[in-house]
Amino acid sequence: NQYFILNEKMQVCQVGEVGRMYMIGTNLSNGYLLDGKISQKDFVPISISVGTTEIAFRMSDLGYVRTDGNIIFAGREEGYLKVKGVRISATEVEMALMKYTPIQEIVIVCCTHPQTEITELVAMFSLTNVQEKIDIQDLKCQLKNYLPHSHIPTKWYCVDHLPLTQNAKIDRKLLQKIAQEQLYPQAQNLKNKHIALEHISDTVMDIFREIVQHEFSSNIFYQTEILRLGIRTKQLKQ
């Protein structure tokens, strides 16, 4: 595969310049299968050299090339989320949820569980009638008619109204912050979390050194590259 980082004029970005990522290669699909038909949305021609054009996938990822040639991710195009490796259009989920009449407004955001560090899809919504209660399980069942399982939110949070920016647009960043704070009140104090992680790390390292029984096991640290130790697969499984 080859990756390109291009600006809005479809020109190659300079080193350190953030742009949209594009991909070409042998495992690029033929398009999206939508309602039994192939859609070429986000599959666009790009110039890879003078006189040479190829079809590339326009990713929702933003990134830049570092001086050493490595690509560094620098965020995601607004409106797209990534949960457990699945690329999700927030708008697509929101439109499906708006079919559920008690919901007045809805925004889909991502939150990260503070303990498991797993990203979850969160629905922040307001109701037409604030006195009304909705059955989340029933709503999830209805969503299965419109969305794949990966696109159905795992967390739900009802607010009186969705906050707006100065430009009168829904403030998604503020909603994401509210969701993160309200949905995980059980999060440990950051200092205590670091202490716990250090203890776990030390325990894992001690077990690793014991099983490896490498002549230099005392010099194995967190940053040590495993492949350089010549460890066999059987040892690694243990």
Side-chain angles (χ1 to χ4, degrees):
N1 287 348
Q2 285 182 281
Y3 293 86
F4 298 84
I5 299 179
L6 309 179
N7 59 25
E8 293 181 355
K9 297 181 180 180
M10 301 298 286
Q11 298 170 336
V12 176
C13 292
Q14 301 298 314
V15 172
E17 179 186 358
V18 176
R20 178 74 72 89
M21 295 181 61
Y22 294 77
M23 183 194 78
I24 65 173
T26 56
N27 71 340
L28 185 65
S29 72
N30 297 326
Y32 288 111
L33 186 63
L34 185 63
D35 295 330
K37 298 180 180 179
I38 292 291
S39 168
Q40 290 292 325
K41 183 177 181 289
D42 291 326
F43 288 78
V44 296
I46 66 170
S47 176
I48 61 172
S49 62
V50 178
T52 304
T53 300
E54 285 198 31
I55 296 297
F57 176 63
R58 179 170 52 205
M59 303 166 68
S60 57
D61 294 296
L62 304 176
Y64 64 91
V65 178
R66 206 164 55 184
T67 52
D68 60 6
N70 284 320
I71 292 175
I72 304 300
F73 290 100
R76 185 171 293 275
E77 179 193 19
E78 187 175 353
Y80 284 92
L81 308 170
K82 202 163 192 176
V83 178
K84 299 176 183 176
V86 179
R87 181 174 181 261
I88 298 172
S89 167
T91 304
E92 180 184 356
V93 181
E94 290 162 3
M95 289 179 65
L97 280 163
M98 287 304 294
K99 298 178 187 293
Y100 197 74
T101 51
I103 292 179
Q104 183 177 32
E105 292 182 298
I106 187 150
V107 167
I108 300 299
V109 298
C110 273
C111 288
T112 303
H113 194 287
Q115 294 166 328
T116 63
E117 297 186 356
I118 292 175
T119 303
E120 299 185 87
L121 203 62
V122 180
M124 303 285 288
F125 63 95
S126 63
L127 298 174
T128 306
N129 181 357
V130 293
Q131 302 298 326
E132 188 172 2
K133 293 185 179 181
I134 63 173
D135 187 335
I136 298 298
Q137 292 303 320
D138 177 60
L139 180 51
K140 286 182 177 181
C141 290
Q142 292 193 44
L143 283 176
K144 291 178 182 178
N145 297 321
Y146 308 103
L147 299 170
H149 179 74
S150 58
H151 289 46
I152 297 177
T154 54
K155 295 287 185 182
W156 301 76
Y157 190 75
C158 183
V159 294
D160 293 336
H161 62 275
L162 301 185
L164 304 178
T165 64
Q166 292 181 346
N167 297 326
K169 294 182 179 180
I170 292 176
D171 195 334
R172 290 177 178 269
K173 289 185 178 180
L174 179 56
L175 281 170
Q176 194 274 337
K177 182 175 182 293
I178 293 172
Q180 188 72 41
E181 292 174 350
Q182 296 298 320
L183 293 175
Y184 308 114
Q186 77 283 10
Q188 298 178 18
N189 178 274
L190 188 59
K191 181 178 178 181
N192 291 336
K193 182 181 179 182
H194 283 321
I195 292 173
L197 288 175
E198 287 175 4
H199 172 71
I200 293 172
S201 299
D202 290 339
T203 303
V204 171
M205 186 58 66
D206 289 341
I207 295 172
F208 186 81
R209 288 174 176 144
E210 180 182 348
I211 290 181
V212 169
Q213 295 181 345
H214 196 279
E215 58 178 319
F216 303 114
S217 61
S218 60
N219 294 324
I220 297 176
F221 302 101
Y222 304 120
Q223 294 80 15
T224 303
E225 293 185 18
I226 294 178
L227 292 179
R228 291 190 176 184
L229 297 174
I231 295 174
R232 298 187 302 276
T233 304
K234 183 177 180 181
Q235 290 175 296
L236 195 56
K237 285 182 178 179
Q238 285 180 284

PDB file of all heavy atoms in Angstrom, residues 8 17 19 39 42 51 59 88 112-113 119 131-132 135 137 151 163-165 171 180 183 186 200 202-203:
ATOM      1  N   GLU A   8      -6.154  20.702   0.244  1.00  0.00           N
ATOM      2  CA  GLU A   8      -7.465  20.864  -0.379  1.00  0.00           C
ATOM      3  C   GLU A   8      -7.381  20.983  -1.897  1.00  0.00           C
ATOM      4  O   GLU A   8      -8.350  20.732  -2.607  1.00  0.00           O
ATOM      5  CB  GLU A   8      -8.160  22.103   0.206  1.00  0.00           C
ATOM      6  CG  GLU A   8      -8.529  21.939   1.674  1.00  0.00           C
ATOM      7  CD  GLU A   8      -9.226  23.163   2.236  1.00  0.00           C
ATOM      8  OE1 GLU A   8      -9.334  24.180   1.504  1.00  0.00           O
ATOM      9  OE2 GLU A   8      -9.655  23.118   3.400  1.00  0.00           O
ATOM     10  N   GLU A  17       3.240  19.383   7.379  1.00  0.00           N
ATOM     11  CA  GLU A  17       1.980  20.040   7.027  1.00  0.00           C
ATOM     12  C   GLU A  17       0.826  19.036   7.115  1.00  0.00           C
ATOM     13  O   GLU A  17       0.869  17.978   6.499  1.00  0.00           O
ATOM     14  CB  GLU A  17       2.059  20.619   5.609  1.00  0.00           C
ATOM     15  CG  GLU A  17       0.786  21.309   5.154  1.00  0.00           C
ATOM     16  CD  GLU A  17       0.846  21.750   3.696  1.00  0.00           C
ATOM     17  OE1 GLU A  17       1.906  21.551   3.052  1.00  0.00           O
ATOM     18  OE2 GLU A  17      -0.163  22.283   3.202  1.00  0.00           O
ATOM     19  N   GLY A  19      -2.654  17.330   6.407  1.00  0.00           N
ATOM     20  CA  GLY A  19      -3.561  17.219   5.274  1.00  0.00           C
ATOM     21  C   GLY A  19      -4.403  15.968   5.366  1.00  0.00           C
ATOM     22  O   GLY A  19      -4.328  15.212   6.340  1.00  0.00           O
ATOM     23  N   SER A  39     -21.000   1.752  -4.497  1.00  0.00           N
ATOM     24  CA  SER A  39     -20.887   3.213  -4.460  1.00  0.00           C
ATOM     25  C   SER A  39     -19.404   3.588  -4.460  1.00  0.00           C
ATOM     26  O   SER A  39     -18.603   2.990  -3.737  1.00  0.00           O
ATOM     27  CB  SER A  39     -21.556   3.764  -3.197  1.00  0.00           C
ATOM     28  OG  SER A  39     -21.218   5.122  -3.012  1.00  0.00           O
ATOM     29  N   ASP A  42     -15.955   8.596  -1.959  1.00  0.00           N
ATOM     30  CA  ASP A  42     -14.633   8.669  -1.323  1.00  0.00           C
ATOM     31  C   ASP A  42     -13.564   7.903  -2.091  1.00  0.00           C
ATOM     32  O   ASP A  42     -12.452   7.725  -1.589  1.00  0.00           O
ATOM     33  CB  ASP A  42     -14.679   8.170   0.133  1.00  0.00           C
ATOM     34  CG  ASP A  42     -15.453   9.126   1.027  1.00  0.00           C
ATOM     35  OD1 ASP A  42     -15.384  10.340   0.783  1.00  0.00           O
ATOM     36  OD2 ASP A  42     -16.115   8.661   1.970  1.00  0.00           O
ATOM     37  N   GLY A  51       1.962  12.431 -15.093  1.00  0.00           N
ATOM     38  CA  GLY A  51       1.279  11.635 -16.108  1.00  0.00           C
ATOM     39  C   GLY A  51       0.685  10.339 -15.611  1.00  0.00           C
ATOM     40  O   GLY A  51       0.145   9.564 -16.395  1.00  0.00           O
ATOM     41  N   MET A  59      -9.468   8.975   2.911  1.00  0.00           N
ATOM     42  CA  MET A  59      -9.715   8.576   4.292  1.00  0.00           C
ATOM     43  C   MET A  59     -10.279   9.747   5.092  1.00  0.00           C
ATOM     44  O   MET A  59     -10.179  10.902   4.697  1.00  0.00           O
ATOM     45  CB  MET A  59      -8.414   8.083   4.928  1.00  0.00           C
ATOM     46  CG  MET A  59      -7.772   6.931   4.156  1.00  0.00           C
ATOM     47  SD  MET A  59      -6.055   6.595   4.647  1.00  0.00           S
ATOM     48  CE  MET A  59      -6.303   5.976   6.302  1.00  0.00           C
ATOM     49  N   ILE A  88     -17.074   5.163  11.477  1.00  0.00           N
ATOM     50  CA  ILE A  88     -18.506   5.409  11.637  1.00  0.00           C
ATOM     51  C   ILE A  88     -18.831   6.858  11.304  1.00  0.00           C
ATOM     52  O   ILE A  88     -18.178   7.783  11.790  1.00  0.00           O
ATOM     53  CB  ILE A  88     -18.949   5.095  13.080  1.00  0.00           C
ATOM     54  CG1 ILE A  88     -18.718   3.606  13.399  1.00  0.00           C
ATOM     55  CG2 ILE A  88     -20.415   5.456  13.295  1.00  0.00           C
ATOM     56  CD1 ILE A  88     -18.951   3.255  14.842  1.00  0.00           C
ATOM     57  N   THR A 112     -13.893   7.659  25.950  1.00  0.00           N
ATOM     58  CA  THR A 112     -12.958   6.592  26.293  1.00  0.00           C
ATOM     59  C   THR A 112     -13.137   6.191  27.742  1.00  0.00           C
ATOM     60  O   THR A 112     -13.079   7.046  28.639  1.00  0.00           O
ATOM     61  CB  THR A 112     -11.499   7.039  26.066  1.00  0.00           C
ATOM     62  OG1 THR A 112     -11.355   7.440  24.700  1.00  0.00           O
ATOM     63  CG2 THR A 112     -10.531   5.899  26.367  1.00  0.00           C
ATOM     64  N   HIS A 113     -13.386   4.908  27.968  1.00  0.00           N
ATOM     65  CA  HIS A 113     -13.541   4.414  29.329  1.00  0.00           C
ATOM     66  C   HIS A 113     -12.237   4.625  30.081  1.00  0.00           C
ATOM     67  O   HIS A 113     -11.169   4.202  29.621  1.00  0.00           O
ATOM     68  CB  HIS A 113     -13.902   2.922  29.313  1.00  0.00           C
ATOM     69  CG  HIS A 113     -14.405   2.420  30.623  1.00  0.00           C
ATOM     70  ND1 HIS A 113     -13.575   2.223  31.699  1.00  0.00           N
ATOM     71  CD2 HIS A 113     -15.659   2.084  31.039  1.00  0.00           C
ATOM     72  CE1 HIS A 113     -14.274   1.776  32.717  1.00  0.00           C
ATOM     73  NE2 HIS A 113     -15.552   1.690  32.350  1.00  0.00           N
ATOM     74  N   THR A 119     -12.717   2.744  23.526  1.00  0.00           N
ATOM     75  CA  THR A 119     -13.557   3.810  22.988  1.00  0.00           C
ATOM     76  C   THR A 119     -14.982   3.307  22.806  1.00  0.00           C
ATOM     77  O   THR A 119     -15.205   2.219  22.296  1.00  0.00           O
ATOM     78  CB  THR A 119     -13.004   4.302  21.639  1.00  0.00           C
ATOM     79  OG1 THR A 119     -11.658   4.743  21.823  1.00  0.00           O
ATOM     80  CG2 THR A 119     -13.835   5.455  21.101  1.00  0.00           C
ATOM     81  N   GLN A 131     -40.786  15.269  30.020  1.00  0.00           N
ATOM     82  CA  GLN A 131     -41.375  14.389  31.031  1.00  0.00           C
ATOM     83  C   GLN A 131     -41.413  12.930  30.566  1.00  0.00           C
ATOM     84  O   GLN A 131     -41.611  12.022  31.360  1.00  0.00           O
ATOM     85  CB  GLN A 131     -42.808  14.850  31.354  1.00  0.00           C
ATOM     86  CG  GLN A 131     -42.909  16.284  31.842  1.00  0.00           C
ATOM     87  CD  GLN A 131     -42.154  16.516  33.123  1.00  0.00           C
ATOM     88  OE1 GLN A 131     -42.081  15.629  33.981  1.00  0.00           O
ATOM     89  NE2 GLN A 131     -41.579  17.704  33.272  1.00  0.00           N
ATOM     90  N   GLU A 132     -41.191  12.735  29.274  1.00  0.00           N
ATOM     91  CA  GLU A 132     -41.304  11.391  28.707  1.00  0.00           C
ATOM     92  C   GLU A 132     -40.031  10.578  28.962  1.00  0.00           C
ATOM     93  O   GLU A 132     -38.924  11.110  28.981  1.00  0.00           O
ATOM     94  CB  GLU A 132     -41.565  11.480  27.199  1.00  0.00           C
ATOM     95  CG  GLU A 132     -41.887  10.147  26.554  1.00  0.00           C
ATOM     96  CD  GLU A 132     -42.335  10.310  25.112  1.00  0.00           C
ATOM     97  OE1 GLU A 132     -42.350  11.460  24.627  1.00  0.00           O
ATOM     98  OE2 GLU A 132     -42.686   9.304  24.495  1.00  0.00           O
ATOM     99  N   ASP A 135     -37.397   3.802  26.328  1.00  0.00           N
ATOM    100  CA  ASP A 135     -36.836   2.479  26.595  1.00  0.00           C
ATOM    101  C   ASP A 135     -35.618   2.300  25.696  1.00  0.00           C
ATOM    102  O   ASP A 135     -35.742   2.098  24.480  1.00  0.00           O
ATOM    103  CB  ASP A 135     -37.892   1.404  26.303  1.00  0.00           C
ATOM    104  CG  ASP A 135     -37.429   0.014  26.714  1.00  0.00           C
ATOM    105  OD1 ASP A 135     -36.202  -0.215  26.761  1.00  0.00           O
ATOM    106  OD2 ASP A 135     -38.292  -0.840  26.968  1.00  0.00           O
ATOM    107  N   GLN A 137     -33.412  -0.110  25.513  1.00  0.00           N
ATOM    108  CA  GLN A 137     -33.292  -1.443  24.914  1.00  0.00           C
ATOM    109  C   GLN A 137     -34.194  -1.577  23.693  1.00  0.00           C
ATOM    110  O   GLN A 137     -33.820  -2.154  22.674  1.00  0.00           O
ATOM    111  CB  GLN A 137     -33.638  -2.519  25.953  1.00  0.00           C
ATOM    112  CG  GLN A 137     -32.624  -2.637  27.082  1.00  0.00           C
ATOM    113  CD  GLN A 137     -31.220  -2.931  26.572  1.00  0.00           C
ATOM    114  OE1 GLN A 137     -31.025  -3.705  25.640  1.00  0.00           O
ATOM    115  NE2 GLN A 137     -30.222  -2.299  27.185  1.00  0.00           N
ATOM    116  N   HIS A 151     -22.514   0.273  14.797  1.00  0.00           N
ATOM    117  CA  HIS A 151     -22.947   1.666  14.760  1.00  0.00           C
ATOM    118  C   HIS A 151     -23.978   2.007  15.838  1.00  0.00           C
ATOM    119  O   HIS A 151     -24.448   3.139  15.906  1.00  0.00           O
ATOM    120  CB  HIS A 151     -23.549   1.993  13.386  1.00  0.00           C
ATOM    121  CG  HIS A 151     -22.551   2.069  12.287  1.00  0.00           C
ATOM    122  ND1 HIS A 151     -21.561   1.129  12.095  1.00  0.00           N
ATOM    123  CD2 HIS A 151     -22.378   2.997  11.302  1.00  0.00           C
ATOM    124  CE1 HIS A 151     -20.843   1.456  11.043  1.00  0.00           C
ATOM    125  NE2 HIS A 151     -21.311   2.581  10.547  1.00  0.00           N
ATOM    126  N   PRO A 163     -26.083  22.064  23.808  1.00  0.00           N
ATOM    127  CA  PRO A 163     -25.419  23.371  23.817  1.00  0.00           C
ATOM    128  C   PRO A 163     -24.974  23.788  22.414  1.00  0.00           C
ATOM    129  O   PRO A 163     -24.664  22.949  21.578  1.00  0.00           O
ATOM    130  CB  PRO A 163     -24.213  23.146  24.732  1.00  0.00           C
ATOM    131  CG  PRO A 163     -23.939  21.674  24.645  1.00  0.00           C
ATOM    132  CD  PRO A 163     -25.285  21.041  24.496  1.00  0.00           C
ATOM    133  N   LEU A 164     -24.972  25.102  22.186  1.00  0.00           N
ATOM    134  CA  LEU A 164     -24.602  25.650  20.888  1.00  0.00           C
ATOM    135  C   LEU A 164     -23.315  26.466  20.981  1.00  0.00           C
ATOM    136  O   LEU A 164     -22.973  27.002  22.039  1.00  0.00           O
ATOM    137  CB  LEU A 164     -25.727  26.536  20.348  1.00  0.00           C
ATOM    138  CG  LEU A 164     -27.120  25.908  20.202  1.00  0.00           C
ATOM    139  CD1 LEU A 164     -28.110  26.955  19.712  1.00  0.00           C
ATOM    140  CD2 LEU A 164     -27.073  24.711  19.268  1.00  0.00           C
ATOM    141  N   THR A 165     -22.614  26.563  19.861  1.00  0.00           N
ATOM    142  CA  THR A 165     -21.435  27.414  19.777  1.00  0.00           C
ATOM    143  C   THR A 165     -21.883  28.850  19.507  1.00  0.00           C
ATOM    144  O   THR A 165     -23.070  29.130  19.341  1.00  0.00           O
ATOM    145  CB  THR A 165     -20.509  26.949  18.648  1.00  0.00           C
ATOM    146  OG1 THR A 165     -21.205  27.115  17.386  1.00  0.00           O
ATOM    147  CG2 THR A 165     -20.134  25.482  18.810  1.00  0.00           C
ATOM    148  N   ASP A 171     -22.522  22.310  19.753  1.00  0.00           N
ATOM    149  CA  ASP A 171     -21.149  22.253  20.261  1.00  0.00           C
ATOM    150  C   ASP A 171     -20.786  20.792  20.571  1.00  0.00           C
ATOM    151  O   ASP A 171     -20.969  20.310  21.697  1.00  0.00           O
ATOM    152  CB  ASP A 171     -21.021  23.119  21.510  1.00  0.00           C
ATOM    153  CG  ASP A 171     -19.571  23.403  21.876  1.00  0.00           C
ATOM    154  OD1 ASP A 171     -18.711  22.576  21.517  1.00  0.00           O
ATOM    155  OD2 ASP A 171     -19.302  24.431  22.501  1.00  0.00           O
ATOM    156  N   GLN A 180     -18.005  12.530  28.716  1.00  0.00           N
ATOM    157  CA  GLN A 180     -16.842  11.896  29.347  1.00  0.00           C
ATOM    158  C   GLN A 180     -16.898  12.056  30.865  1.00  0.00           C
ATOM    159  O   GLN A 180     -16.620  11.120  31.618  1.00  0.00           O
ATOM    160  CB  GLN A 180     -15.549  12.512  28.802  1.00  0.00           C
ATOM    161  CG  GLN A 180     -14.279  11.813  29.249  1.00  0.00           C
ATOM    162  CD  GLN A 180     -14.074  10.457  28.599  1.00  0.00           C
ATOM    163  OE1 GLN A 180     -14.320  10.273  27.418  1.00  0.00           O
ATOM    164  NE2 GLN A 180     -13.615   9.497  29.378  1.00  0.00           N
ATOM    165  N   LEU A 183     -20.522  10.213  32.328  1.00  0.00           N
ATOM    166  CA  LEU A 183     -20.723   8.769  32.167  1.00  0.00           C
ATOM    167  C   LEU A 183     -19.725   7.937  32.950  1.00  0.00           C
ATOM    168  O   LEU A 183     -19.956   6.759  33.196  1.00  0.00           O
ATOM    169  CB  LEU A 183     -20.653   8.394  30.686  1.00  0.00           C
ATOM    170  CG  LEU A 183     -21.789   8.950  29.821  1.00  0.00           C
ATOM    171  CD1 LEU A 183     -21.547   8.612  28.355  1.00  0.00           C
ATOM    172  CD2 LEU A 183     -23.131   8.384  30.274  1.00  0.00           C
ATOM    173  N   GLN A 186     -16.978   7.196  38.161  1.00  0.00           N
ATOM    174  CA  GLN A 186     -16.236   6.283  39.016  1.00  0.00           C
ATOM    175  C   GLN A 186     -14.749   6.279  38.701  1.00  0.00           C
ATOM    176  O   GLN A 186     -13.989   5.519  39.303  1.00  0.00           O
ATOM    177  CB  GLN A 186     -16.796   4.857  38.878  1.00  0.00           C
ATOM    178  CG  GLN A 186     -16.379   4.107  37.606  1.00  0.00           C
ATOM    179  CD  GLN A 186     -17.144   4.549  36.380  1.00  0.00           C
ATOM    180  OE1 GLN A 186     -17.868   5.526  36.404  1.00  0.00           O
ATOM    181  NE2 GLN A 186     -16.996   3.835  35.292  1.00  0.00           N
ATOM    182  N   ILE A 200       1.127  -2.835  38.365  1.00  0.00           N
ATOM    183  CA  ILE A 200       0.794  -3.889  37.402  1.00  0.00           C
ATOM    184  C   ILE A 200       1.956  -4.101  36.434  1.00  0.00           C
ATOM    185  O   ILE A 200       2.336  -5.236  36.134  1.00  0.00           O
ATOM    186  CB  ILE A 200      -0.496  -3.533  36.632  1.00  0.00           C
ATOM    187  CG1 ILE A 200      -1.695  -3.547  37.582  1.00  0.00           C
ATOM    188  CG2 ILE A 200      -0.733  -4.514  35.486  1.00  0.00           C
ATOM    189  CD1 ILE A 200      -2.974  -3.023  36.977  1.00  0.00           C
ATOM    190  N   ASP A 202       5.148  -3.495  36.843  1.00  0.00           N
ATOM    191  CA  ASP A 202       6.273  -4.156  37.508  1.00  0.00           C
ATOM    192  C   ASP A 202       6.012  -5.648  37.670  1.00  0.00           C
ATOM    193  O   ASP A 202       6.910  -6.478  37.480  1.00  0.00           O
ATOM    194  CB  ASP A 202       6.528  -3.520  38.887  1.00  0.00           C
ATOM    195  CG  ASP A 202       7.083  -2.109  38.771  1.00  0.00           C
ATOM    196  OD1 ASP A 202       7.628  -1.783  37.692  1.00  0.00           O
ATOM    197  OD2 ASP A 202       6.974  -1.346  39.748  1.00  0.00           O
ATOM    198  N   THR A 203       4.775  -6.003  38.020  1.00  0.00           N
ATOM    199  CA  THR A 203       4.416  -7.410  38.196  1.00  0.00           C
ATOM    200  C   THR A 203       4.549  -8.168  36.878  1.00  0.00           C
ATOM    201  O   THR A 203       5.103  -9.267  36.829  1.00  0.00           O
ATOM    202  CB  THR A 203       2.977  -7.531  38.717  1.00  0.00           C
ATOM    203  OG1 THR A 203       2.855  -6.808  39.938  1.00  0.00           O
ATOM    204  CG2 THR A 203       2.613  -8.993  38.959  1.00  0.00           C
TER     205      THR A 203
END
